Amino acid sequence: MSVSAVTNTSPVTGEPMKPHASRLDEKLKGGPGRLGMGIFAAALAIGTGYAGFHLLADLSEVHTKSIFPFVLLGIALLVALGFEFVNGFHDTANAVATVIYTHTLDPHVAVAWSGLWNFIGVLVSTGGVAFGIISLLPVELILQVGGGAGFAMVFALLTAAIIWNLGTWYFGLPSSSSHTLIGSIIGVGLANQLMSTATATSGVDWGQASKIGRSLLISPLVGFSCAALLLLAMRALVKSKHLYEAPVGVKPPPFFIRCLLLLTCTGVSFAHGSNDGQKGMGLIMLILIGTVPTAYALNHATSARESQDFIAVSQQAELTLAHVPGAAALVPDARAGVTAFVRSRQLAPDTLASIRQLIGDVGHDMARFKELRLVPQDKTRNFRNDLYVIGESLRVLDKEAHATIGPADWDVLKNYRKHIDKSTKFIPGWVKVAVAIALGLGTMIGWKRIVVTVGERIGKDHLTYAQGAAAEITAMVTIGAADAFGLPVSTTHVLSSGVAGTMVANHSGLQWATVRNLLMAWVLTLPVSILLSGSLFWLFSKVG
């Protein structure tokens, strides 16, 4: 090989490239072409038009003399979509690294294909991950999300996440957006608790945080070990020598290998959209509820029949709790009692009575309103808050496994909670489209730095076809399983650790400087995001 080929530099970092990496130089520098740009522009215009039309249609129901809520809404949405935009720099780029470095697809075709399946994944997502993350936030800030403290919370955690994600992207380090967002939420919770020592305030739901933290901690280990074991299993069962060879020049792999790699890239992109895309959705819903509760605090898509079902199950839940010892008593302020339980997660003597009484009050109100869309504008926020604290109280109570509530009674309460969730935990279609657009734009603009790191700097040798497939299959299955259980995991951590695992299994060796930097980013993400978001929350609270 000529000296010039060896001394080529990366089109992204300017550093010397390996001989095999230099062959991608022209492809990485190339643009998508006029046809590609035209298709992307058309898709962007259609998606933006759809989201804008439905947002304006929803806002037409809001009657206010002040323009301030709409200005605040616009700023908050830009910040939230900015988080998803930067998220696309990192996580979506990981999904295309293997197909680019095995020459399965040209870079811009891979990015467009991945963007399409991210979009589909976002559209079919359930919302479980989105609202699982929201449940980490302090309850009083959620209930007051339309006030200064609530917006300080949202802006602080989103700004902190954007700052850290941009910094790690600039240095080409695959950092986890999930990890960053969880750290930002913890920072806000701790700051909220420290700033209000004179009053009863909540900080972090450490039970939920530890559950999510375990999924983020275990997922890289799962990615590393499972990808390594999968590669060894493939070597033992599949004897095609082409599968274990590095690409020759820029020639595409054999047809069946190309199909396999395309399938795994598609699966990772879909799983990423259905999991990571939800993080921004939950925060956008908080913003919408805080600024324009009339339109978004309650699910107006709920039918009249479903509203009548809600009234019936409310009566069942109230009667069920009335038979539990200590729950039939009258309390002076049921909402305060339930909110205190959700905040402290400690059962008080009047907790069950407060839950029962608030369920009854909500059921009676619903019987008067008939349908969720008919709830008066001045009562919407309080009605939604009552539903939220009831749902959270039942979730916390379920964890406590209260001895006096039998299995049959729990079935009734869980059915009631499902109806509450359907009324309050919903994501409009236009929000999903907006998030998908932000992710796609971020990927189109920032994909190169992370792709180069994953493709060139983790292992000492070029990725073989089998290594790319093993890493992608592991990421696809892991993220898909986490989505089914409503847990956030990091596409970045799973895939980059999967690539490292295949390098070790293949005896290719690791570039320890890169591994050290990745580990440093992984270790520092949580404390830095906690410190950033906590400081910003304090600052924004003082300014507000």
Side-chain angles (χ1 to χ4, degrees):
M1 181 174 291
S2 67
V3 174
S4 61
V6 176
T7 57
N8 278 347
T9 58
S10 166
V12 179
T13 64
E15 297 178 359
M17 299 174 66
K18 300 176 186 178
H20 68 260
S22 67
R23 297 165 185 165
L24 274 172
D25 191 26
E26 292 303 319
K27 285 189 174 183
L28 291 172
K29 286 181 178 178
R34 291 183 179 180
L35 178 61
M37 288 299 295
I39 294 173
F40 179 75
L44 180 62
I46 293 171
T48 304
Y50 172 86
F53 174 80
H54 284 277
L55 172 60
L56 292 175
D58 291 342
L59 294 182
S60 66
E61 302 178 7
V62 180
H63 304 291
T64 177
K65 296 180 180 179
S66 172
I67 197 174
F68 179 72
F70 301 112
V71 174
L72 191 60
L73 172 63
I75 296 172
L77 284 178
L78 284 176
V79 175
L81 292 174
F83 166 75
E84 288 296 345
F85 175 75
V86 177
N87 187 6
F89 285 17
H90 278 277
D91 290 352
T92 315
N94 283 277
V96 299
T98 55
V99 291
I100 290 174
Y101 272 82
T102 55
H103 308 300
T104 300
L105 293 174
D106 284 341
H108 292 284
V109 175
V111 169
W113 181 256
S114 176
L116 172 64
W117 286 97
N118 264 282
F119 180 81
I120 296 172
V122 169
L123 290 184
V124 302
S125 58
T126 62
V129 172
F131 294 107
I133 287 178
I134 287 178
S135 66
L136 289 174
L137 294 165
V139 61
E140 66 269 12
L141 295 183
I142 294 177
L143 298 182
Q144 300 170 14
V145 72
F151 279 108
M153 167 189 70
V154 173
F155 283 121
L157 63 92
L158 284 173
T159 304
I162 289 172
I163 291 172
W164 180 249
N165 282 343
L166 279 176
T168 51
W169 166 81
Y170 179 79
F171 291 104
L173 296 176
S175 176
S176 167
S177 298
S178 305
H179 209 165
T180 305
L181 187 59
I182 298 302
S184 298
I185 289 174
I186 291 174
V188 166
L190 290 175
N192 178 64
Q193 200 164 26
L194 292 172
M195 289 167 60
S196 307
T197 54
T199 58
T201 63
S202 59
V204 180
D205 183 346
W206 291 111
Q208 181 75 353
S210 63
K211 179 182 176 183
I212 292 175
R214 283 194 299 271
S215 71
L216 291 171
L217 177 65
I218 293 172
S219 56
L221 304 178
V222 170
F224 183 93
S225 56
C226 288
L229 291 173
L230 181 57
L231 179 63
L232 294 175
M234 290 170 68
R235 281 189 173 277
L237 299 174
V238 183
K239 300 301 182 180
S240 174
K241 66 175 184 177
H242 294 295
L243 195 59
Y244 310 103
E245 296 175 349
V248 179
V250 292
K251 182 181 178 182
F255 179 74
F256 82 95
I257 297 175
R258 195 174 190 183
C259 290
L260 174 63
L261 291 167
L262 181 59
L263 176 64
T264 55
C265 170
T266 302
V268 171
S269 300
F270 177 82
H272 173 264
S274 65
N275 191 283
D276 272 54
Q278 294 190 51
K279 300 176 180 70
M281 290 181 204
L283 296 171
I284 288 174
M285 288 310 300
L286 274 184
I287 292 166
L288 293 171
I289 291 166
T291 52
V292 282
T294 305
Y296 295 107
L298 300 170
N299 187 0
H300 290 176
T302 304
S303 67
R305 181 175 179 178
E306 288 171 328
S307 298
Q308 294 304 308
D309 289 343
F310 179 82
I311 296 170
V313 297
S314 297
Q315 294 171 346
Q316 291 175 353
E318 183 183 11
L319 290 173
T320 296
L321 282 176
H323 295 102
V324 176
L330 293 176
V331 292
D333 191 343
R335 180 193 291 175
V338 178
T339 304
F341 171 60
V342 175
R343 178 188 296 120
S344 66
R345 298 170 187 88
Q346 298 293 324
L347 276 170
D350 64 345
T351 295
L352 293 180
S354 296
I355 295 173
R356 178 201 58 77
Q357 188 168 317
L358 191 58
I359 289 174
D361 292 343
V362 166
H364 296 151
D365 286 340
M366 192 66 218
R368 288 191 298 111
F369 301 145
K370 306 298 182 184
E371 296 182 45
L372 288 177
R373 63 183 182 84
L374 299 179
V375 176
Q377 182 170 333
D378 61 336
K379 298 183 182 298
T380 298
R381 191 189 298 275
N382 285 339
F383 190 72
R384 193 261 176 193
N385 285 347
D386 287 347
L387 290 174
Y388 177 80
V389 294
I390 291 172
E392 286 300 291
S393 70
L394 294 178
R395 179 180 68 84
V396 176
L397 194 63
D398 191 14
K399 291 182 179 180
E400 301 294 326
H402 200 274
T404 57
I405 302 178
D409 293 338
W410 267 122
D411 289 341
V412 173
L413 295 178
K414 287 178 179 178
N415 182 45
Y416 175 65
R417 185 181 162 200
K418 287 180 181 178
H419 282 74
I420 287 181
D421 289 347
K422 189 169 185 179
S423 301
T424 58
K425 296 181 178 182
F426 66 100
I427 299 174
W430 73 262
V431 172
K432 295 183 177 183
V433 170
V435 166
I437 290 172
L439 273 173
L441 278 174
T443 306
M444 291 290 289
I445 292 173
W447 61 272
K448 290 183 182 179
R449 288 182 182 271
I450 303 303
V451 164
V452 169
T453 297
V454 174
E456 295 183 33
R457 298 180 178 175
I458 293 179
K460 291 182 177 180
D461 293 333
H462 194 292
L463 276 173
T464 66
Y465 303 126
Q467 286 177 286
E472 293 267 21
I473 290 172
T474 299
M476 177 177 64
V477 173
T478 303
I479 299 167
D483 188 40
F485 288 101
L487 293 172
V489 294
S490 168
T491 303
T492 300
H493 284 168
V494 176
L495 190 59
S496 57
S497 62
V499 171
T502 64
M503 290 293 175
V504 171
N506 203 43
H507 304 291
S508 302
L510 297 173
Q511 296 191 53
W512 287 106
T514 300
V515 173
R516 183 182 65 247
N517 289 338
L518 291 175
L519 288 174
M520 187 179 298
W522 183 65
V523 170
L524 290 178
T525 291
L526 202 61
V528 170
S529 55
I530 289 173
L531 182 61
L532 269 176
S533 65
S535 302
L536 288 171
F537 177 69
W538 175 83
L539 177 63
F540 292 161
S541 297
K542 297 300 181 182
V543 172

